Structure formats: C-alpha cells, structure tokens
Amino acid sequence: MKKVLKNVSFVILLLKLCIIFGQETTAQKRIIIDVGHGGKDAGAIGINGIQEKDVVLDIANAILKLNNDLEKPLDIYLTRYSDTLISLSDRTKLAKALKANLFVSLHCNHSDNPDARGVEVYVSRKQGKFSKASVFMGYQIESALCEAIGYESRGVRFANFQVLRETFECCASILLELGFLSNKDEGSYISDKNNIERIALSILLSIQKSIEL
C-alpha cells in the first residue's frame, strides 16, 4: 500500500510541475513517449521470457540517451522512467498538462499464431484536427522502422485505445506495436541491446524529421 501511495503522490507532483511547464511558451515542439505497461502489468510475455514492459522501457531510455547526443536535442518526456505502473488516464493527463505536440505510445505485440510478425501503428478512429498529422507520423515511423530493422509492415490502423482516445484532440498521437514477442525471430531480435538501439534511433530520427516538416 505504501508503494502505491508513493507512486500516486509522485504522479500528482509530476502533473503539478507539468502544469507549470505547460504554461511556458516555447517554439520547440514537445514529445511524450508513453512507455507501455509497467509494475505488476508486464504486458506481453515473449517465448524467451522477455516482458513487454521491460522491452519498451529499454527502447524509451535508449531514445532519451540518443536524443541527448543530438546537436539540438528534442524536448522529450517519458510517462514512466522506471518499472512503475502508471494509469492510462495519468499518461494522457501528462500529455495535456505539458501541452504536447506529439504522443507516441510504445508497445510490443503478441499472438497465438507463432508466425505472426511485423510492425503495426495505430491512430484514433475518431476524427479531429490532428488526425491527418497522426496518420502521417504513423506512416513515417513505420516506414523508417521497417527499413532500418527489416520488419514487415502491417500498416497504419484505426483503433479506440484509451491513450489515443484521450489525446487525439490535443495533439498528434500514435501507438506503435514494435513486433511480436511471440515470434521466435522478432522476440530474439528485440532481446539484443544493439537492436534496441537501432529501433530507438529509427523512432527518434523519424520524429525529428517529421516535426521539422
């Protein structure tokens, strides 16, 4: 119970700080990387025992590290920086409080079919002023990922996931399914730290390229 209260208090404090930061005016676009699952919510479990919550956190941390090495780093925030369970509503509240320009939710896929493979991108099925930007960003990142790591494209799809449903009116938002942990090849690939960095770099450069257009 103490751990739960500590996490809740941290989120409340973070949101208060975000409201302050969100009131600042800046020309630099702000990106939220939503790190899926966390804590007791492991997400998908791969055939080699890897957990989705760990994979996406590794990718997010790699994005931050690579971003810091850029000559002009992007203004990037994560919804979680450790193995902590953050509610879906708090994740979207963070994007609104920070007045984000882009919300990217990181996930990995799973299927009962061991041959299922590839990258999927989801955007909200609801139509709003950021719908075209979301679809464009989705295609940009998926195309770059498939080219960089050799994964198959499963296309940009429409869905009603909560993180998309609650952000589509405030910013461009997408949810990435970065391969199938249930697939032997993709599960093994994403377990390698060097490949984690390739995925992270591809996502980062795609975001950088897209927001500069």
Side-chain angles (χ1 to χ4, degrees), residues 139-150:
Y139 276 115
Q140 286 283 108
I141 293 181
E142 189 199 40
S143 177
L145 270 172
C146 292
E147 182 177 350
I149 64 179

Side-chain angles (χ1 to χ4, degrees), residues 118-170:
V119 176
E120 291 177 344
V121 180
Y122 289 92
V123 299
S124 175
R125 64 164 52 113
K126 294 186 176 182
Q127 293 296 308
K129 63 179 180 178
F130 297 104
S131 295
K132 289 183 179 179
S134 299
V135 172
F136 173 76
M137 182 67 71
Y139 276 115
Q140 286 283 108
I141 293 181
E142 189 199 40
S143 177
L145 270 172
C146 292
E147 182 177 350
I149 64 179
Y151 276 25
E152 294 179 10
S153 168
R154 295 173 65 92
V156 176
R157 307 182 179 195
F158 296 93
N160 195 37
F161 297 129
Q162 184 174 341
V163 292
L164 298 178
R165 187 173 67 246
E166 295 182 359
T167 54
F168 85 100
E169 290 184 320
C170 66

Side-chain angles (χ1 to χ4, degrees), residues 9-166:
S9 298
F10 172 77
V11 171
I12 293 173
L13 176 61
L14 181 60
L15 289 173
K16 287 181 179 179
L17 291 173
C18 290
I19 292 173
I20 295 173
F21 287 129
Q23 291 172 344
E24 298 176 357
T25 56
T26 175
Q28 189 176 24
K29 293 186 177 179
R30 190 165 287 159
I31 297 100
I32 303 296
I33 302 294
D34 174 38
V35 189
H37 306 284
K40 64 181 181 181
D41 178 10
I45 307 295
I47 56 173
N48 51 3
I50 61 173
Q51 300 182 45
E52 180 181 1
K53 68 173 185 175
D54 296 326
V55 173
V56 292
L57 182 59
D58 287 344
I59 293 172
N61 283 328
I63 290 173
L64 283 184
K65 183 177 183 300
L66 291 165
N67 183 57
N68 289 335
D69 293 336
L70 293 178
E71 183 177 346
K72 294 181 179 180
L74 304 177
D75 191 18
I76 296 177
Y77 295 82
L78 305 185
T79 53
R80 66 179 178 93
Y81 291 83
S82 61
D83 186 16
T84 305
L85 180 60
I86 306 295
S87 72
L88 296 178
S89 59
D90 280 339
R91 294 166 189 260
T92 59
K93 286 176 183 176
L94 182 66
K96 294 173 183 177
L98 281 173
K99 297 183 179 178
N101 299 98
L102 175 64
F103 181 92
V104 179
S105 189
L106 302 182
H107 290 265
C108 293
N109 230 328
H110 186 279
S111 174
D112 292 334
N113 177 6
D115 295 324
R117 61 174 63 233
V119 176
E120 291 177 344
V121 180
Y122 289 92
V123 299
S124 175
R125 64 164 52 113
K126 294 186 176 182
Q127 293 296 308
K129 63 179 180 178
F130 297 104
S131 295
K132 289 183 179 179
S134 299
V135 172
F136 173 76
M137 182 67 71
Y139 276 115
Q140 286 283 108
I141 293 181
E142 189 199 40
S143 177
L145 270 172
C146 292
E147 182 177 350
I149 64 179
Y151 276 25
E152 294 179 10
S153 168
R154 295 173 65 92
V156 176
R157 307 182 179 195
F158 296 93
N160 195 37
F161 297 129
Q162 184 174 341
V163 292
L164 298 178
R165 187 173 67 246
E166 295 182 359

Side-chain angles (χ1 to χ4, degrees), residues 189 191-200:
Y189 183 92
S191 300
D192 188 297
K193 289 185 177 180
N194 291 324
N195 296 331
I196 287 286
E197 187 166 301
R198 289 190 184 95
I199 293 170

